[in-house]
Amino acid sequence: MSKKVKNILADKTWNPVTGCTKISPGCLHCYAETICEWLCKMGQEKYKNGFNLLLHEDSLSEPVKWKRSHHVFVCSMADIFHEHVPFSFIDKIIRTIMLTPQHKYQFLTKRAERMSEYFQHRKIPHNLWLGVTVESKTTKNRIDIVRTMNAPVRYLCCEPLLEDLGELNLDNIDWIIVGGESGSEVRPMKKEWVLSIEKQARDSGTAFFFKQWGTWSEDGVKRDRYVNGCTIDGKLYQQFPE
Ligand code: SF4
């Protein structure tokens, strides 16, 4: 039943910003914090500030050098719309995205209001997908913001899913990713919460991607996340937006 978890959502990460601060229930066991602090201890120059926010001008042109086309997750060690990332710096990131139409890019934020403010008077590149994290009922307002964005793909990332989200309005939402939390002190994710989202996605024609159970398994037991896998009742759900 178990399948190995692998990242098939994006094949590259690009980190012109590193570091962040917590703003949401989903931030409690932030993996980016753990990794940034570990890389700092390992003496990596880019992570010399640990999880304190840092802008990396020297990383801005990285995607221009990539010969093959990639699906790029932008700022996996930060929230690109963090209040300390100036709009002028996001402009530079967008410039690189527009210069490299051979790549597809994904932004994911918990700061949906700031994303909306940024794009209010700016065009969204045709190769940029915009997403918001929706891990609990209190964060569902982010869905209303992302659905209004004129992006080629608008998506929700319900990871780590912390409770039953109840009824979802999925108008203008192209894709939903769901996943559980990993680590030693993780919060469980229940199967019925996942199935409720899957059904609503199916009913509304929204692509549904189940990423992983995390440390709590489908049968409510804590195990290694690789053993718990990414199937529901033995079935993979790995749809992508068209
Ligand atoms: S917004 Fe994302 S990167 Fe920032 S603390 Fe929360 S989980 Fe970590």
Side-chain angles (χ1 to χ4, degrees), residues 20-23 26-27 30-33 51 77-79 110-111:
C20 194
T21 50
K22 299 181 178 186
I23 56 149
C27 298
C30 171
Y31 77 95
E33 180 180 30
F51 198 49
M77 296 295 148
D79 184 334
K110 292 184 174 68
R111 288 154 170 100

Side-chain angles (χ1 to χ4, degrees), residues 102-235:
Q102 70 273 28
H103 305 314
K104 268 191 232 125
Y105 293 87
Q106 260 178 261
F107 283 1
L108 175 65
T109 187
K110 292 184 174 68
R111 288 154 170 100
E113 289 88 355
R114 195 155 187 263
M115 174 172 73
S116 169
E117 188 191 337
Y118 175 79
F119 282 116
Q120 204 173 357
H121 301 296
R122 291 169 175 89
K123 202 168 169 284
I124 301 170
H126 67 84
N127 54 338
L128 174 60
W129 299 8
L130 295 180
V132 291
T133 307
V134 183
E135 74 270 35
S136 61
K137 282 183 181 147
T138 56
T139 61
K140 278 165 69 172
N141 59 317
R142 296 172 192 158
I143 307 174
D144 291 326
I145 296 176
V146 76
R147 87 168 88 255
T148 65
M149 312 295 299
N150 191 21
V153 171
R154 293 159 290 244
Y155 73 98
L156 312 181
C157 180
C158 306
E159 187 187 31
L161 182 62
L162 299 176
E163 61 178 337
D164 181 8
L165 296 182
E167 199 177 319
L168 298 169
N169 176 354
L170 297 177
D171 290 351
N172 276 337
I173 301 297
D174 305 292
W175 195 29
I176 305 183
I177 301 160
V178 175
E181 205 167 33
S182 299
S184 54
E185 292 170 32
V186 296
R187 297 156 285 184
M189 176 178 70
K190 297 212 169 128
K191 186 170 165 183
E192 57 265 31
W193 307 344
V194 180
L195 290 175
S196 164
I197 298 173
E198 190 278 325
K199 180 176 184 323
Q200 294 183 71
R202 194 166 7 104
D203 291 347
S204 65
T206 304
F208 177 81
F209 192 107
F210 184 63
K211 193 169 155 197
Q212 60 178 349
W213 284 102
T215 301
W216 283 97
S217 70
E218 183 175 20
D219 50 1
V221 179
K222 245 174 147 181
R223 292 194 203 92
D224 185 297
R225 73 186 178 110
Y226 291 105
V227 176
N228 288 336
C230 55
T231 59
I232 309 171
D233 292 325
K235 190 174 161 194

